Amino acid sequence: MHIDILTLFPQMFDGPFGTGIFKRAVERKLVSVNIHNIRDYTHDKHHTVDDYSYGGGAGMVLKPEPIFEAVESIKPESGEAPIILLTPQGRLFSQQIALELSKYSRLILICGRYEGVDERVHSHLVTDEISIGDYVLSGGELAAMVVIEAVVRLLPGVLGSEVSPLDDSHVAGLLEYPQYTRPAVYRGWSVPEVLLSGNHAQISKWRHEQAILRTLERRPELLDKANLPK
Ligand code: 4HQ
């Protein structure tokens, strides 16, 4: 998969992309990323990317021209890649959407700043709008990183063969069961007996029950969508 990111703060991506699973995926050529500075697509001497909002009001709006031109500069080779804007007005990001995006060979993500981007970017350039949740960020960069991290780990070969992303909690529609490691007793708190029993059928049953109980207590609305036997 190839990912293009449009941003005014390219340095923000250095940390996450230079670490861990993502770095390894890039090294193994399972994913490639190109970060484009929106400011590079301005033509005036001050490299202006924002302007006042027509009609007045506080805050600046990102101008359409540099964003259109940045996308057009990468578009010739991009084919049917979705052009995704990170915005609180987008569809709420989920594991289901991560899976959907993981099927594309190419993604283009646009990170806004200030009070937002000119409406013509929404209406005539982007093909998808995604929100990572109902809270306000200062820019779309962290939201883009969240989306990319969730998508990239679904690409074939990115996780080791030992772990399947299809076993993850939100895939099954339930929260994760409790996990323990050594020591068996820590400060007087013991690991549940069944996990030390070596009885794998009983362990599976216990974990499934715990996952359901936890989901019922903390996120009951998830149970409606989970496919559980009667
Ligand atoms: N933004 N999920 C970028 C967000 C946001 C979110 C606010 C997007 C500021 C300029 N993006 N604008 N929540 O809060 O995606």
Side-chain angles (χ1 to χ4, degrees), residues 148-166:
I148 292 168
E149 171 143 334
V151 169
V152 166
R153 60 190 297 290
L154 295 176
L155 301 178
V158 167
L159 298 185
S161 53
E162 326 78 69
V163 256
S164 162
L166 297 176

Side-chain angles (χ1 to χ4, degrees), residues 86-88 112-114 116 130-133 135-140 143:
L86 286 310
T87 163
R113 279 268 151 182
Y114 315 113
I130 291 177
S131 167
I132 62 159
Y135 39 79
V136 183
L137 305 170
S138 298

Side-chain angles (χ1 to χ4, degrees), residues 94-108:
S94 63
Q95 190 63 30
Q96 155 101 42
I97 295 176
L99 196 63
E100 170 195 323
L101 296 181
S102 73
K103 310 293 184 204
Y104 289 97
S105 58
R106 189 145 189 174
L107 299 177
I108 301 173

Side-chain angles (χ1 to χ4, degrees), residues 20-36:
I21 286 191
F22 196 90
K23 185 182 177 198
R24 208 180 55 160
V26 172
E27 285 166 358
R28 294 161 73 198
K29 300 208 175 354
L30 300 170
V31 64
S32 53
V33 186
N34 243 259
I35 302 180
H36 309 267

